[in-house]
Amino acid sequence: MPEQNSFTNTGTNTGPVIFGGTVKGSVRGGDVRREAEVAAPLVVSRTDPAREQRSTPGAGKPPRVFVTYSHDDERHRELVRDFATFLRTRAGLDVRLDQWADDGRRDWSLWAIEQLAEADFVLVIASPDYKRRAEGTEEPHLGRGAQFEAAMIRDNLTKDLPRATRRILPVVLPGRRVEEIPSFLNAYSTTRYEIAEFTLAGVEELLAAITGVARFSLPEIGT
């Protein structure tokens, strides 16, 4: 949300979800490198009943992901945009970002409410400014958008902690630090997602959380 989230999703999938063709390539701190070779689409099975309580998109739809962050500086804004672009074009996620929504005059508070309500998952991008604004230690007139979104996220955590914990995912991008995650997201006692590079391998733990499919299958018990 430019400097100036109840969550709802009732769908559960019983069949495979297919989303996103991928292209080999990487983005490191804003330096985009792509190759032309196209990989197979990412196929996610959701037949495990134990995963039905996870937030899942409608059948055949890619997960909708909202990125909340602060505009610390232009370099950080570009890094966030590169990350969101990678997730949308290479990992096949329906990523929403404020930088792609400035095509007209807009009520940004209503826009943020809609994005937070409709998102299957919310990615909280760690940075010094976001941490201050999310924790209420920033000047009231600075980063109002991040302050507004973070307040709604705190409210959702208070309303339904287990469900919100699954949906709200703290992300540490290259060059950022774990200490920049807002304290109410409990970076040391809950999972955090540290991204070393913008490749499929670099985001596989994050994709596992979004798809609800573990990176390694639980082995059957032998007899």
Side-chain angles (χ1 to χ4, degrees):
M1 177 174 174
E3 302 301 47
Q4 33 160 343
N5 307 276
S6 63
F7 301 95
T8 58
N9 187 351
T10 58
T12 55
N13 297 326
T14 57
V17 174
I18 303 175
F19 57 91
T22 60
V23 177
K24 291 184 178 180
S26 66
V27 181
R28 296 176 185 265
D31 176 23
V32 183
R33 295 188 296 276
R34 299 188 180 98
E35 298 176 12
E37 182 179 352
V38 179
L42 178 58
V43 180
V44 180
S45 173
R46 296 192 184 278
T47 56
D48 184 354
R51 294 197 176 100
E52 289 185 357
Q53 295 303 312
R54 285 185 177 271
S55 172
T56 56
K61 293 183 179 180
R64 181 165 169 168
V65 176
F66 176 56
V67 178
T68 177
Y69 70 108
S70 64
H71 296 189
D72 293 43
D73 52 39
E74 186 58 32
R75 181 179 180 184
H76 183 65
R77 291 181 73 237
E78 290 179 359
L79 180 64
V80 172
R81 186 173 65 249
D82 286 341
F83 177 59
T85 298
F86 175 82
L87 292 181
R88 188 172 177 90
T89 63
R90 303 304 183 235
L93 303 178
D94 182 10
V95 180
R96 307 301 177 95
L97 182 71
D98 63 348
Q99 297 182 54
W100 299 331
D102 61 355
D103 54 340
R105 188 167 186 256
R106 190 180 299 278
D107 184 327
W108 287 104
S109 294
L110 289 180
W111 180 85
I113 290 171
E114 176 187 356
Q115 300 308 316
L116 287 160
E118 296 298 327
D120 297 303
F121 293 90
V122 176
L123 306 188
V124 177
I125 307 300
S127 71
D129 286 1
Y130 194 95
K131 181 179 176 68
R132 287 196 310 275
R133 292 162 187 177
E135 295 179 354
T137 60
E138 182 64 277
E139 294 294 327
H141 65 284
L142 295 178
R144 294 187 180 100
Q147 293 193 51
F148 182 82
E149 292 167 10
M152 297 196 70
I153 289 172
R154 295 195 307 269
D155 187 63
N156 278 268
L157 284 163
T158 302
K159 179 181 179 181
D160 188 340
L161 182 59
R163 185 172 179 80
T165 297
R166 290 192 297 270
R167 287 183 163 188
I168 301 167
L169 310 179
V171 173
V172 181
L173 295 181
R176 304 260 60 111
R177 300 183 303 130
V178 173
E179 291 75 17
E180 296 167 0
I181 295 173
S183 59
F184 56 81
L185 292 178
N186 301 317
Y188 293 99
S189 64
T190 61
T191 311
R192 61 181 184 263
Y193 301 92
E194 299 181 62
I195 310 300
E197 60 181 16
F198 296 175
T199 63
L200 291 180
V203 301
E204 64 176 351
E205 187 176 4
L206 178 64
L207 291 180
I210 291 173
T211 61
V213 178
R215 289 177 294 167
F216 307 102
S217 300
L218 180 67
E220 296 292 336
I221 298 176
T223 59

